[in-house]
Amino acid sequence: ILNVEQSPQSLHVQEGDSTNFTCSFPSSNFYALHWYRWETAKSPEALFVMTLNGDEKKKGRISATLNTKEGYSYLYIKGSQPEDSATYLCASLAAGNKLTFGGGTRVLVKP
Amino acid sequence: DTEVTQTPKHLVMGMTNKKSLKCEQHMGHRAMYWYKQKAKKPPELMFVYSYEKLSINESVPSRFSPECPNSSLLNLHLHALQPEDSALYLCASSQDSLGFQPQHFGDGTRLSIL
């Protein structure tokens, strides 16, 4: 069983502040890490797919880093806006080409 | 607008009913997925189709029967479901099933079993 853990489970951020949260995954048998944003009443939206140790990806005010040796990824939101409120899911790809999702971090940005 | 369309959005059915969930994509993706998501839990993979062939079945009970009539459509046939099968069922697609391409999700079908 592949354990993918996300922390914290939820966080409140003041509008304009920056924040970050963590995804932990087994470092052995690692192939790729996915990040998705899931807004209420919408479908999950792909943010990044990362494969290389030390890789950094950026999309607007959202960025992510990857450490495959120690098995973690950080997602950063710079200058949080109310529209960033969502659940952020990470998923690890292991052998068998199956994604295993973490429990998500629910972000609420307060105006 | 989501590029993966799921119907119906909501479904209430009894334990003796037979119903089907439908999923459609026109992005030319060759891999399609069914996930089950219970409240406050992460999505759990059920089935993967690659080039219209079933490639992964995550030991799903036979009361769930997937079908891929063509490269754009994915169905999930339901029969004799149990109350614990009540959940959000998500369909997704990707360019291939290798896992290095992002998955595109539908809005899901919220299923309630009476």
Side-chain angles (χ1 to χ4, degrees), chain B residues 65-112:
Chain B
S65 175
E67 179 197 19
C68 190
N70 60 57
S71 60
S72 299
L73 294 174
L74 185 66
N75 298 322
L76 186 63
H77 302 299
L78 314 173
H79 174 53
L81 294 195
Q82 303 298 308
E84 61 265 27
D85 296 323
S86 297
L88 180 69
Y89 289 83
L90 289 165
C91 173
S93 70
S94 60
Q95 288 184 2
D96 56 52
S97 63
L98 295 177
F100 299 100
Q101 298 295 327
Q103 294 188 10
H104 297 249
F105 286 84
D107 290 339
T109 293
R110 190 160 298 280
L111 177 66
S112 298

Side-chain angles (χ1 to χ4, degrees), chain A residues 21-94:
Chain A
F21 37 93
T22 309
C23 172
S24 301
F25 53 88
S27 55
S28 61
N29 201 26
F30 170 83
Y31 287 83
L33 188 82
H34 293 225
W35 279 102
Y36 294 86
R37 173 170 59 200
W38 195 356
E39 294 180 62
T40 302
K42 294 188 178 181
S43 56
E45 173 197 0
L47 290 173
F48 309 114
V49 179
M50 309 174 77
T51 57
L52 301 176
N53 184 45
D55 198 8
E56 292 187 28
K57 299 271 190 182
K58 188 175 181 182
K59 185 176 183 178
R61 293 178 292 97
I62 300 177
S63 60
T65 60
L66 179 67
N67 184 322
T68 61
K69 295 183 179 180
E70 297 182 34
Y72 64 84
S73 175
Y74 291 132
L75 193 88
Y76 300 87
I77 304 176
K78 183 179 179 182
S80 303
Q81 299 297 308
E83 58 264 31
D84 296 327
S85 297
T87 296
Y88 291 82
L89 292 169
C90 69
S92 180
L93 179 73

